Amino acid sequence: MTPGPGFYARRLAQAGAVLAPMAGYSDAPMRQLAAEQGALWTVSEMISSRGLVLGGESEKLTLGRPYPGEQGRVVQLFGAEPDILAQAVGRAEAWFAPAALDLNMGCPVPKVKGRGGACLLQTPEVAYDLVRAMRAATPLDVSAKIRLGWDADRSVEVAQGLAAAGVSLITVHGRTSAQRYTGEADWDAIARVAASVAVPVVGSGDVRSAPQARARRKAGVAAVMIGRGAVGNPWLFRALATGEDTRPDARERARTALRHAQLHVAFYGADRFGLLSVRPLRKVLHQYLPDHPELREALVQVNTLEDVERALAPLWQGPPHPAPRPGPPPAEHEEHVALSAP
């Protein structure tokens, strides 16, 4: 059953952290691992509203498609046209059963210029119209993820406008769009936003450990969102949900890396060549085992599940994995912009 309003308030009553939307990373397998370890909620890779409405996409779009039984997943949309976004909200709700909808106002990649993302920080009044259109299209919570500004800090002004437009939650990444991912996230600026609006504020930027996350909570945020720090480390969510910071040993981390590959194959199925490929995980798997650099060369060259097993053999020993049931092939017209966390 589709959740109703109040999702964010219910989840924020619990301890923990949030998995950030990261194109090319926060897909269904990664979301599943984070959710199992206690993430408050997860956010999909961003989806083009025009792609959903005008691009021939369907419920088979892997960017939005949930894994079996998935709950607590927020679908993030980007766009700059209120009527298109409103229609996209309806389709996302019908096809993907999200817990809430999020507006991307933070993606700094030039190829989305003029189509939403961080460009909206230059014309925030457009973003307020987008939020109102999204809210009119769904009973679910609507949130927005912003940066501090385009090239200067306007975050308090923008956050107050978003709150007035009716968002249920605001996530703030502590950099401007011009900074991209350089320098350090400004958590003092995030704290000013949190103090300026009545809606909950989630802080994002440069959180790579549980002690860091706990320290960032002192900025007055309702929760911390973790992106790159969670790649290869879903146990970070367990630590923040339970207070137990014990890091798994290399054997458990190797087993989880293998399971990530198994989930990948089961979710995506065969590629266009008919292969059960794990090539997209080349950038991920070695991050489970940063203390074993001798495995990196093999892990960044894997093609199949068997390659992953062989690469991890020095650390992981046990019975052969059960053959995964292939999922449906990817949608033919799916749009996927490869980005880092917005």
Side-chain angles (χ1 to χ4, degrees), residues 34-289:
E36 288 173 354
Q37 293 297 326
L40 289 176
W41 64 85
T42 64
V43 188
S44 72
E45 302 163 90
M46 72 175 191
I47 303 172
S48 165
S49 58
R50 290 185 66 84
L52 286 186
V53 176
L54 304 174
E57 306 292 12
S58 74
E59 64 275 8
K60 295 181 180 180
L61 178 70
T62 57
L63 293 183
R65 184 164 55 91
Y67 59 80
E70 183 169 16
Q71 298 179 349
R73 185 274 318 265
V74 174
V75 166
Q76 187 184 74
L77 301 175
F78 78 94
E81 302 154 291
D83 57 335
I84 297 296
L85 256 172
Q87 293 178 65
V89 163
R91 292 199 175 184
E93 189 175 349
W95 291 346
F96 308 137
L101 282 303
D102 188 65
L103 174 65
N104 182 301
M105 295 177 60
C107 178
V109 174
K111 70 189 300 180
V112 303
K113 185 176 182 180
R115 296 188 291 147
C119 292
L120 295 171
L121 297 170
Q122 296 176 293
T123 55
E125 62 281 356
V126 174
Y128 309 152
D129 287 341
L130 297 176
V131 167
R132 284 188 280 265
M134 292 173 71
R135 287 197 65 228
T138 180
L140 302 180
D141 287 354
V142 171
S143 55
K145 186 172 190 289
I146 70 173
R147 283 180 170 243
L148 299 181
W150 179 255
D151 54 10
D153 186 358
R154 299 180 63 185
S155 53
V156 168
E157 168 199 347
V158 172
Q160 290 175 340
L162 290 169
V167 293
S168 298
L169 178 139
I170 301 168
T171 300
V172 184
H173 180 91
R175 291 180 173 87
T176 64
S177 178
Q179 285 181 278
R180 299 288 292 270
Y181 301 98
T182 62
E184 295 183 2
D186 186 346
W187 279 81
D188 289 336
I190 295 173
R192 289 193 291 271
V193 175
S196 73
V197 293
V199 298
V201 170
V202 173
S204 172
D206 301 342
V207 176
R208 295 183 178 273
S209 70
Q212 274 186 324
R214 295 186 186 106
R216 295 311 190 190
R217 284 294 306 272
K218 296 176 182 178
V221 294
V224 169
M225 177 176 278
I226 303 174
R228 289 171 285 180
V231 178
N233 188 16
W235 304 281
L236 187 49
F237 298 104
R238 181 177 70 189
L240 294 168
T242 67
E244 175 54 62
D245 289 5
T246 303
R247 182 173 175 81
D249 62 18
R251 180 184 172 99
E252 182 179 344
R253 286 182 278 128
R255 284 185 174 276
T256 304
L258 176 60
R259 181 158 178 262
H260 193 153
Q262 292 170 335
L263 291 172
H264 181 93
V265 168
F267 181 77
Y268 288 102
D271 64 16
R272 65 182 184 275
F273 302 111
L275 300 175
L276 297 176
S277 173
V278 296
R279 286 174 63 94
L281 294 182
R282 288 177 171 183
K283 61 182 182 286
V284 173
L285 296 177
H286 66 92
Q287 298 194 57
Y288 281 95
L289 297 155

